[in-house]
Amino acid sequence: MNRSFDLQKIIRPNIKKLVPYHSAREDFGEGLLLDANENSLGTPFPDDQQLHRYPDPKQTKLRDLIAEWRGVRTQNVFTGVGSDEGIDLLYRIFCGPGQDRVLTTPPTYGMYNVSANIHDISVDQVLLDEEGFQLPVDQILETVKPNTKMLFLCSPNNPTGNTFATEDIRTLIKEFQGIVILDEAYIDFSNRESWAPKVVDYPNLVVLQTLSKSFGLAGIRLGITYAQEEIIDYMMKVKAPYNINKLTAEKAIKGLQNWETVQFRVDAIKKERKQLKDKLEQLKMVQHVYESEANFLLTKFTDAQMVYKQLADQDIIIRYRGNQPHCKNCLRITVGTPDENERLISALKKLGS
Ligand SMILES: *Cc1c(COP(=O)(O)O)cnc(C)c1O
């Protein structure tokens, strides 16, 4: 338990007194619905799925299912338009533009910094250890300033693929007086337990997950935030009233109902990850393939620029990460199907050298 964490102290004053948008329907529910200026004649096509009606602003059915699936309570679950919306809302709730700061630990996901720039928030960066990409806990805590509101941790980390030591994550949650945002976008590909159920024990812990990776539903844009109830309440107040559309909610529910298929696919990708790693390691142009608990492999080449360009010439697109700290000559390769990985490997072999 973080003894001196005080949520009220770190919420922006304008958010604390915000009166959220309210629809008349929330008070009455079903009936003759002439309150929202929807089109009474329906959609322009026959199979309308009630799309002429606004969606549920609270996403109750979807959030109930997520809660049940992860072993948490619905009050601790927020659903947004990708993880991006969760990140954006947390900035808006906790960080005063031009005043507050956040801390990130590169090499990591770029969106935390982009969002900071959008909100005019300064970013302090503490690099992960070069050996093993772990968290330099003492250095992070020393870098925290009185106006550092949020600390972003990504585990498994993108682009490095490793998870952080549990004890380090715990220490940071306990010692940091602001919000620790733990991004678990790749948690289902790892052997670690999710921290999501722990949000009831740690009032400053916020966990991000997404249906974009393990569920294979990047196209529907559904991200999940877990946090103590009061933080979720603020997120519900600040979000756009109808942020999750009906089509997305419906597909997300179907996805959760097919969790066994998802797990089966995740297992297949983990096996393929191992195979791909073995094959990459046999190539002379490959210096190192980092251990990964995600669905990609950070791979160090002798000349990453050259490999990147020549693969692109053959319409094989991977991600150049050589500009990231500690990632010189590194490319990030998403684990594909066995066929796709075979194509990649044979293309690399043809590059020779
Ligand atoms: C892919 C990814 C996400 C997912 O973002 P969405 O907006 O949910 O698609 C989040 N965090 C990290 C670190 C990622 O790599």
Side-chain angles (χ1 to χ4, degrees):
M1 184 75 184
N2 191 321
R3 272 161 282 123
S4 38
F5 175 74
D6 182 352
L7 185 66
Q8 287 309 314
K9 256 198 215 155
I10 64 165
I11 302 253
R12 287 172 64 196
N14 60 314
I15 300 298
K16 237 190 271 190
K17 58 177 194 235
L18 179 73
V19 180
Y21 179 81
H22 190 80
S23 74
R25 210 167 292 178
E26 286 175 56
D27 302 332
F28 303 104
E30 295 306 299
L32 180 59
L33 300 177
L34 299 175
D35 61 318
N37 301 344
E38 293 151 334
N39 189 312
S40 55
L41 300 185
T43 68
F45 28 83
D47 56 333
D48 72 358
Q49 301 172 283
Q50 292 293 305
L51 290 180
H52 64 302
R53 296 293 182 198
Y54 279 103
D56 172 12
K58 296 203 169 96
Q59 298 104 32
T60 308
K61 188 170 174 208
L62 175 57
R63 288 166 59 230
D64 282 349
L65 260 183
I66 292 169
E68 195 186 324
W69 163 65
R70 278 294 185 203
V72 300
R73 300 174 67 197
T74 306
Q75 304 93 286
N76 300 114
V77 175
F78 171 87
T79 46
V81 182
S83 308
D84 303 339
E85 186 183 2
I87 294 169
D88 181 73
L89 288 175
L90 291 163
Y91 272 101
R92 283 164 27 173
I93 292 167
F94 293 110
C95 300
Q99 291 175 19
D100 290 327
R101 319 179 71 84
V102 298
L103 201 157
T104 63
T105 62
T108 193
Y109 189 45
M111 199 60 207
Y112 316 138
N113 280 24
V114 173
S115 206
N117 293 338
I118 291 169
H119 293 282
D120 192 18
I121 299 300
S122 303
V123 182
D124 292 303
Q125 305 195 339
V126 176
L127 299 192
L128 297 174
D129 297 340
E130 188 153 17
E131 294 288 310
F133 299 123
Q134 287 297 314
L135 294 163
V137 173
D138 293 340
Q139 203 190 332
I140 290 171
L141 291 172
E142 282 161 19
T143 307
V144 167
K145 299 182 172 68
N147 59 344
T148 304
K149 294 293 188 73
M150 309 200 291
L151 164 62
F152 284 93
L153 306 177
C154 185
S155 183
N157 188 37
N158 175 6
T160 60
N162 65 294
T163 51
F164 298 141
T166 305
E167 214 34 60
D168 290 347
I169 295 174
R170 197 193 318 277
T171 303
L172 288 170
I173 296 169
K174 284 185 169 171
E175 298 295 327
F176 179 49
Q177 299 308 308
I179 301 289
V180 175
I181 299 172
L182 181 60
D183 189 340
E184 291 188 335
Y186 299 97
I187 189 69
D188 296 328
F189 298 104
S190 84
N191 300 320
R192 301 294 177 108
E193 300 260 318
S194 169
W195 281 76
K198 302 254 169 61
V199 296
V200 288
D201 302 323
Y202 299 108
N204 62 334
L205 172 63
V206 172
V207 176
L208 302 177
Q209 292 177 355
T210 176
L211 300 195
S212 294
K213 309 290 159 63
S214 57
F215 279 81
L217 288 171
I220 70 169
R221 310 304 301 127
L222 200 287
I224 308 165
T225 306
Y226 306 87
Q228 62 148 308
E229 187 172 348
E230 216 176 332
I231 294 177
I232 298 297
D233 284 347
Y234 279 112
M235 294 181 79
M236 296 298 272
K237 278 186 194 167
V238 175
K239 77 178 179 75
Y242 304 107
N243 59 330
I244 303 299
N245 70 73
K246 285 186 177 180
L247 301 175
T248 290
E250 185 193 318
K251 292 294 180 189
I253 288 167
K254 274 210 176 122
L256 290 159
Q257 287 165 343
N258 284 280
W259 173 234
E260 283 186 11
T261 307
V262 171
Q263 282 175 300
F264 190 76
R265 294 263 171 91
V266 164
D267 284 344
I269 289 171
K270 283 162 78 173
K271 284 202 189 90
E272 198 52 36
R273 175 177 77 198
K274 172 84 174 70
Q275 303 252 339
L276 180 61
K277 184 170 190 288
D278 289 348
K279 284 182 189 148
L280 285 167
E281 279 169 345
Q282 286 164 22
L283 301 175
K284 239 168 75 186
M285 65 177 71
V286 169
Q287 291 194 330
H288 188 62
V289 185
Y290 292 90
E291 282 300 329
S292 172
E293 295 198 50
N295 65 338
F296 55 81
L297 291 167
L298 187 72
T299 308
K300 196 185 267 303
F301 288 81
T302 46
D303 185 351
Q305 285 275 13
M306 188 276 288
V307 172
Y308 178 70
K309 287 208 184 94
Q310 296 202 8
L311 285 180
D313 287 342
Q314 300 178 59
D315 297 327
I316 297 177
I317 320 296
I318 57 181
R319 197 87 156 112
Y320 181 74
R321 295 284 82 174
N323 296 332
Q324 293 257 323
H326 305 330
C327 294
K328 194 159 181 280
N329 272 317
C330 283
L331 301 174
R332 193 194 67 199
I333 303 170
T334 305
V335 177
T337 64
D339 273 3
E340 290 170 340
N341 298 333
E342 205 44 64
R343 264 184 67 197
L344 170 75
I345 294 292
S346 75
L348 285 171
K349 278 182 179 158
K350 281 197 200 109
L351 300 187
S353 64

